Amino acid sequence: MIVTRFAPSPNGPLHLGHAWSAIVSHDLARDAGGWFLLRIEDIDGVRSRPELADEFREDLAWLGLEFEEVAAQSTRLASYEAAAAELRQRGLLYPCCCTRAEIAASATIPGPDGAIYPGTCRGKDIDTVQGVAWRLDMAEAIRRVGSLEWSDEIAGAQQAHPEIFGDVVLLRKDAPASYHLAATLDDAADGVTLVTRGMDLFEASHVHRLLQALLGLPVPKWHHHALLLDERGDKLAKRRGSPSLADRRRAGEDGRALADDLRSGKLPAGISLGDRLDTRA
Ligand SMILES: [Zn+2]
């Protein structure tokens, strides 16, 4: 049984890029007689606008996508804490009190999420009463689990290279969990068997595979799809003046027809589909 999911954050309205991602995920499940799940990733603190979740449900229905909704991330904080506590107890996490500016000034090696944290706080005795972030000791984590593989439906078998991220943050100073920890735990809890998302998150799967090994979680397959690109060839984001899905819906546009156009490659002017294996977009 194939289980996929679409997991938007209610930080802003959904746009065409989200629609494409949801359609890919929905169709992969539907074509295999499986389940397509909606999970609201609403732990982004002040940026999170819970009222947008209702819009998202209406947007998906408008596109003609049937979904089952699972628990929002804000209801799962205990599971993130428990996983972090386990890793902490096993000596795999350390507190980091660096500010963004301090990291920017000291980090020099580029990584997939910006410059790699140089490990300033590793091994230091840091007061955790003040807000700290908790980072994974990447070298130690890899030493414990050994070499790992994962598989993408399009790109094929992959050797896991989580070290390209350095000591990633698993618990953020300002949020209960990082994307890496929350998404990995939730996908396991929700029984997701095929993790579908854009190529821009291809490299994150190296870290997620490592977390699965560390936490004894089931290992899904991945399907990283090509991204919709704007006129400049950049990942389609909310463009100035471009209508959100909710805008289109309220204006009376036919959402099912839009979904079918996207499926058949009929893209609006100025928008193109990126290379399926391009991770840089
Ligand atoms: Zn630090």
Side-chain angles (χ1 to χ4, degrees):
M1 170 73 83
I2 288 202
V3 181
T4 66
R5 87 292 187 274
F6 175 60
S9 295
N11 299 340
L14 300 185
H15 56 71
L16 220 50
H18 294 109
W20 172 237
S21 200
I23 289 164
V24 169
S25 183
H26 166 272
D27 289 3
L28 284 166
R30 183 200 56 192
D31 295 349
W35 292 93
F36 170 60
L37 309 179
L38 169 67
R39 181 174 71 229
I40 304 294
E41 302 205 331
D42 57 347
I43 55 169
D44 228 355
V46 291
R47 293 178 63 214
S48 211
R49 293 160 54 200
E51 72 279 7
L52 283 175
D54 278 332
E55 297 276 351
F56 293 179
R57 294 176 194 111
E58 286 183 46
D59 290 340
L60 292 185
W62 173 72
L63 289 166
L65 308 181
E66 275 183 41
F67 60 92
E68 288 285 322
E69 185 165 357
V70 292
Q73 286 193 326
S74 56
T75 67
R76 307 187 193 214
L77 306 187
S79 79
Y80 309 147
E81 265 306 324
E86 184 193 328
L87 295 174
R88 207 180 280 134
Q89 198 172 32
R90 287 159 58 193
L92 289 167
L93 298 190
Y94 64 88
C96 169
C97 57
C98 298
T99 62
R100 258 173 219 278
E102 283 165 347
I103 295 171
S106 60
T108 52
I109 304 167
D113 279 347
I116 291 179
Y117 179 67
T120 320
C121 294
R122 195 191 309 128
K124 277 194 189 158
D125 190 14
I126 284 165
D127 180 7
T128 57
V129 176
Q130 298 284 331
V132 292
W134 287 86
R135 290 183 179 275
L136 183 66
D137 183 337
M138 183 60 78
E140 180 59 18
I142 291 171
R143 199 185 64 75
R144 302 249 185 121
V145 299
S147 89
L148 298 167
E149 289 184 350
W150 56 278
S151 179
D152 179 88
E153 282 196 331
I154 300 168
Q158 304 292 315
Q159 187 77 39
H161 287 297
E163 69 278 5
I164 61 175
F165 282 83
D167 293 351
V168 286
V169 170
L170 294 192
L171 293 184
R172 286 163 48 186
K173 245 184 239 187
D174 55 349
S178 72
Y179 169 71
H180 296 309
L181 182 64
T184 302
L185 288 168
D186 293 349
D187 284 339
D190 295 337
V192 172
T193 64
L194 182 62
V195 174
T196 63
R197 57 187 175 213
M199 279 306 287
D200 53 333
L201 288 166
F202 187 89
E203 283 164 326
S205 299
H206 293 301
V207 175
H208 299 189
R209 180 66 189 88
L210 173 64
L211 292 175
Q212 287 153 4
L214 290 170
L215 294 165
L217 304 174
V219 181
K221 275 198 123 184
W222 279 263
H223 180 109
H224 293 91
H225 62 77
L227 297 168
L228 291 186
L229 306 177
D230 65 16
E231 296 91 334
R232 292 169 310 185
D234 291 331
K235 176 185 168 184
L236 192 66
K238 190 180 175 302
R239 296 179 301 166
R240 197 182 296 272
S242 75
S244 67
L245 298 186
D247 292 336
R248 290 166 177 267
R249 176 160 53 78
R250 291 201 189 88
E253 191 176 331
D254 183 339
R256 286 168 189 264
L258 173 67
D260 283 340
D261 281 351
L262 291 175
R263 286 181 177 107
S264 64
K266 256 193 265 166
L267 303 174
I271 293 174
S272 61
L273 191 60
D275 186 326
R276 295 185 98 181
L277 295 178
D278 185 0
T279 62
R280 296 163 305 141

